[in-house]
């Protein structure tokens, strides 16, 4: 287990093809398992890498812009759901992704959830440091916050991870 990391989730890999050699290189040793969503023309892409001694995956759900891993966190023998997200930039695409993730969370409610990644959204206007884009409109901020509330989750300050565990 490289650097005592049990799972690594990467957004925007910009890789159309991911193989064992790349995952072993990123992980630091050969005891690695992974799931990926390839990029499209070097845009986007998701990668989850984990150690089977720490996290035993029972189910993988790959959707548009996310990877959901359901399994057992072996140290505590707990069922967990880890979701790596790379959200679309357009509000309608975000709404569709949010709805799909809400549906999955309601269908698989037994266990701890961690939803992390790049949501291409902000919760508060002051989070938009500098940008010519208008992704921080009042409507998008309100809808993102509403989605988080619907998940019945909490955001960790500075970390886009909801209902994490330590």
């Amino acid at each position: 287990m490289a650097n005592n990391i049990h799972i690594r989730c990467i957004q925007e890999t910009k890789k159309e093809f991911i193989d064992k050699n790349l995952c072993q290189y990123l992980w630091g040793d050969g005891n690695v398992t992974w799931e990926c969503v390839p990029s499209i023309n070097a845009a986007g892409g998701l990668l989850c890498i984990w150690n089977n001694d720490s996290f035993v995956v029972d189910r993988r759900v790959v959707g548009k812009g996310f990877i959901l891993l359901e399994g057992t966190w072996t140290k505590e023998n707990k069922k967990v759901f880890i979701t790596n997200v790379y959200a679309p930039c357009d509000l309608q695409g975000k709404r569709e992704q949010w709805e799909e993730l809400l549906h999955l969370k309601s269908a698989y409610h037994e266990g701890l959830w961690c939803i992390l990644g790049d949501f291409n959204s902000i919760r508060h206007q002051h989070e938009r440091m500098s940008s010519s884009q208008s992704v921080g409109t009042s409507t998008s901020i309100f809808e993102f916050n509403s989605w988080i509330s619907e998940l019945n989750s909490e955001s960790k300050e500075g970390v886009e991870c909801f209902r994490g565990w330590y």
Side-chain angles (χ1 to χ4, degrees):
M1 184 171 13
N3 300 313
N4 205 23
I5 297 171
H6 304 284
I7 186 166
R8 176 174 281 165
C9 297
I10 301 171
Q11 304 82 39
E12 282 199 270
T13 63
K14 300 182 188 286
K15 294 281 192 186
E16 293 181 35
F17 178 74
I18 294 176
D19 63 7
K20 184 175 185 172
N21 289 333
L22 176 61
C23 291
Q24 287 176 336
Y25 173 77
L26 292 171
W27 192 250
D29 69 41
N31 188 14
V32 63
T33 307
W34 74 94
E35 183 64 58
C36 66
V37 173
S39 68
I40 299 171
N41 298 324
L46 289 165
L47 176 62
C48 296
I49 307 172
W50 66 93
N51 178 310
N52 276 327
D53 294 335
S54 301
F55 183 46
V56 178
V57 173
D58 301 318
R59 180 187 338 237
R60 305 171 191 203
V61 178
V62 177
K64 186 175 179 185
F66 71 88
I67 298 170
L68 169 67
L69 302 173
E70 173 189 353
T72 303
W73 201 258
T74 58
K75 186 176 179 183
E76 287 88 16
N77 194 33
K78 299 258 187 194
K79 178 177 277 303
V80 297
F81 298 85
I82 298 174
T83 308
N84 186 9
V85 175
Y86 182 58
C89 291
D90 66 288
L91 187 55
Q92 186 56 41
K94 290 176 194 179
R95 288 174 179 147
E96 291 168 6
Q97 186 183 63
W98 295 340
E99 190 60 38
E100 187 170 2
L101 291 171
L102 276 171
H103 175 74
L104 287 167
K105 186 163 187 292
S106 68
Y108 306 115
H109 56 277
E110 296 294 325
L112 301 171
W113 276 76
C114 180
I115 302 174
L116 59 100
D118 184 348
F119 297 94
N120 279 311
S121 294
I122 58 174
R123 297 200 63 197
H124 308 282
Q125 193 61 48
H126 72 270
E127 295 173 10
R128 176 65 51 210
M129 298 222 186
S130 65
S131 176
S132 60
Q133 300 174 358
S134 61
V135 295
T137 66
S138 295
T139 300
S140 64
I141 291 171
F142 175 79
E143 289 187 37
F144 186 51
N145 284 320
S146 295
W147 175 69
I148 292 169
S149 293
E150 284 184 71
L151 284 170
N152 192 24
S153 304
E154 292 182 13
S155 173
K156 307 296 180 196
E157 187 64 35
V159 178
E160 292 175 301
C161 180
F162 310 114
R163 188 162 297 178
W165 66 95
Y166 305 93

